[in-house]
Amino acid sequence: MRKQYSGFLLDLDGTMYRGKDPIPEAVTFVKSLQSLKIPFVFVTNNSTASPEEVTERLQNMGIPCEAGNVLTSSVAAAAFMSASPVKQSAYVIGESGLKEALLSHGIKEEEDTPGFVAVGLDRQVTYEKLAKASQAVQAGAVFISTNGDAVIPTENGFLPGNGAITSVITIASGKQPMLIGKPEKVMIDQAVQLLGIPRKKIVLVGDNYDTDILAGIRAGIDTIHVDTGVTAADELLQKNIPPTYSIPSLAHWQLL
């Protein structure tokens, strides 16, 4: 028997949309959440876009969203860093989404003796940036990476993701980063706090077992796998810990 949940954490790519195309069942589902006043937060490993930019993209697809409904790995990383006793400065590899998030949390950019090295996807990354980041980590800066995604899917196939960039610094410095995004629990724990609902009444919805579902499992919340993206339903049989539920699409989930 399925539980009734009071709050939802929602993945984006493969769950809400595929590339530039919204998934109709998902659009209808979020509209139902909104009409029933059931709170939800979109959780995304995307570190390049701000919550406002994510919101605009979703709204253009007809998906109800406000900036307060979005938690990106950049915002989660900045929140984690700002709560740390470490010097509030960072050498940053990343794009505007990460830089804006750090600035809004009072973390300034610094090259010489930063408290952190913060790494997000940077499509203009250079050898010099990687070298400076590695040197800062070796000198004692706390190594933070927004997510470990090795690749990102694009219209031109799979391209290097933030995990690939991060791995260069890991190998050069000999230090492992603190990972913030899915499948780690840091961002999910923050999203649970945003909802302000007991963990047992929250469920995470996602298409990718190795990021979304595993993040929910590690964070101790129920999960719903939707067969609209990366992980096919039959692949779940090979996983040691299955999702709480698996459905073909969000059209198969009854809210009441």
Side-chain angles (χ1 to χ4, degrees):
M1 183 176 179
R2 291 180 179 178
K3 287 172 58 176
Q4 294 295 318
Y5 295 97
S6 302
F8 285 76
L9 302 181
L10 304 168
D11 172 54
L12 291 180
D13 200 0
T15 301
M16 292 292 113
Y17 52 74
R18 300 185 194 91
K20 298 178 180 178
D21 300 320
I23 297 172
E25 302 93 326
V27 176
T28 300
F29 183 80
V30 179
K31 287 180 177 179
S32 296
L33 289 176
Q34 186 184 53
S35 66
L36 293 169
K37 294 182 167 45
I38 298 174
F40 57 91
V41 173
F42 295 107
V43 285
T44 174
N45 274 2
N46 185 337
S47 67
T48 61
S50 68
E52 291 76 16
E53 289 169 330
V54 173
T55 296
E56 182 179 5
R57 179 180 185 185
L58 291 174
Q59 289 177 345
N60 288 339
M61 291 181 175
I63 299 172
C65 183
E66 300 296 334
N69 297 121
V70 178
L71 182 60
T72 69
S73 61
S74 287
V75 171
F80 177 85
M81 291 161 66
S82 68
S84 168
V86 175
K87 180 182 179 183
Q88 297 291 287
S89 66
Y91 182 74
V92 183
I93 291 180
E95 299 183 13
S96 60
L98 178 56
K99 294 186 177 187
E100 289 172 11
L102 293 174
L103 185 61
S104 69
H105 283 77
I107 301 166
K108 65 179 182 179
E109 289 194 56
E110 181 181 0
E111 289 198 15
D112 296 332
T113 57
F116 297 93
V117 165
V119 184
L121 182 65
D122 187 337
R123 286 165 287 197
Q124 285 76 45
V125 70
T126 63
Y127 180 86
E128 181 182 10
K129 287 182 180 180
L130 295 168
K132 286 184 177 179
S134 175
Q135 288 174 320
V137 171
Q138 291 176 69
V142 177
F143 187 11
I144 302 289
S145 180
T146 56
N147 65 81
D149 296 352
V151 296
I152 50 175
T154 73
E155 304 81 33
N156 299 314
F158 290 103
L159 299 181
N162 183 54
I165 294 172
T166 302
S167 69
V168 176
I169 303 166
T170 299
I171 293 170
S173 67
K175 302 287 182 64
Q176 293 290 333
M178 175 70 183
L179 294 170
I180 301 299
K182 300 174 288 185
E184 306 307 323
K185 59 177 284 191
V186 178
M187 182 166 67
I188 303 304
D189 285 344
Q190 291 184 23
V192 169
Q193 290 182 337
L194 282 176
L195 286 176
I197 296 169
R199 201 171 290 254
K200 64 182 180 180
K201 295 184 178 181
I202 296 172
V203 67
L204 184 150
V205 183
D207 68 294
N208 187 330
Y209 181 92
D210 294 322
T211 54
D212 308 319
I213 303 306
L214 194 54
I217 291 169
R218 289 177 176 176
I221 64 174
D222 287 351
T223 55
I224 300 171
H225 166 263
V226 286
D227 193 10
T228 54
V230 173
T231 305
D234 57 1
E235 293 179 60
L236 299 176
L237 300 174
Q238 304 168 20
K239 305 299 183 181
N240 291 330
I241 304 175
T244 313
Y245 308 97
S246 179
I247 55 178
S249 77
L250 282 168
H252 294 77
W253 189 266
Q254 297 297 319
L255 289 170
L256 296 176

